[in-house]
Amino acid sequence: EEQAKEPLYCFTSEDGIEHCVWKITDEENNQKLQMAFQLMDKIYINGLTLKGHHGVLDFEKEQGQNFILDITATLDFSGARLSDDLNDTVSYADMIETIKNVFLSEKNDLIERVAERVAVALLENYKKIESITVLLKKPDAPIEAEFEFVAVEITKTRESLK
């Protein structure tokens, strides 16, 4: 098959490997490639600190403690890049309000459950988001050890909601 002499796009992943996107002349594969390329847009919300009442121990639910959330939403906001219109993307301010509402609405034993609830709410409320990763950190977990934080990370896709 014939390929362009120059790649359409190249990037270096976190592991230092360079990846390039080439034009494919086969229309079906070209459409798949364009979809994958579009899904590379991401919105990051890092270090969102909320006081929650989650944990297995009674005092964790009573007193509460700080939790830190890092959120990565994958979506296609190519329209917003061209239009400069908020309606063509997802508002991270709105996302934060949703996260806060979900995080504070219940007391859960497990942070796994909290992360799941946050991820599902974001996918259900923002139809443009195709996948969401929630890293939920618990820096003050009641464990007799020195550590920066304990955490769980989950990734959910729109497809996983079906």
Side-chain angles (χ1 to χ4, degrees), residues 104-158:
L104 301 173
S105 68
E106 288 181 19
K107 297 178 180 181
N108 294 117
D109 286 346
L110 303 177
I111 59 176
E112 290 87 343
R113 176 70 183 138
V114 182
E116 173 78 7
R117 290 177 43 242
V118 168
V120 168
L122 290 170
L123 285 168
E124 287 178 345
N125 285 293
Y126 305 99
K127 302 304 182 197
K128 286 181 172 70
I129 297 175
E130 289 299 323
S131 71
I132 195 85
T133 298
V134 176
L135 174 61
L136 178 51
K137 303 172 189 174
K138 188 173 180 178
D140 300 319
I143 301 169
E144 294 285 333
E146 285 194 37
F147 54 88
E148 186 178 344
F149 57 82
V150 296
V152 298
E153 179 177 274
I154 66 164
T155 299
K156 293 194 74 69
T157 62
R158 177 151 309 287

Side-chain angles (χ1 to χ4, degrees), residues 3-67:
Q3 288 187 334
K5 294 179 183 174
E6 300 275 328
L8 294 174
Y9 175 77
C10 288
F11 67 97
T12 303
S13 57
E14 290 178 3
D15 56 7
I17 298 173
E18 184 176 50
H19 304 269
C20 292
V21 176
W22 297 84
K23 182 176 182 180
I24 298 173
T25 54
D26 173 17
E27 187 58 36
E28 181 180 342
N29 284 329
N30 198 33
Q31 287 177 346
K32 289 178 186 176
L33 179 62
Q34 287 176 358
M35 283 181 52
F37 182 65
Q38 290 171 348
L39 294 179
M40 291 174 54
D41 296 336
K42 291 183 172 51
I43 293 175
Y44 295 96
I45 300 170
N46 288 333
L48 177 60
T49 303
L50 299 172
K51 183 172 184 177
H53 296 265
H54 308 292
V56 175
L57 304 175
D58 288 341
F59 78 88
E60 292 180 285
K61 288 192 184 70
E62 292 165 10
Q63 297 172 10
Q65 61 189 293
N66 285 331
F67 294 84

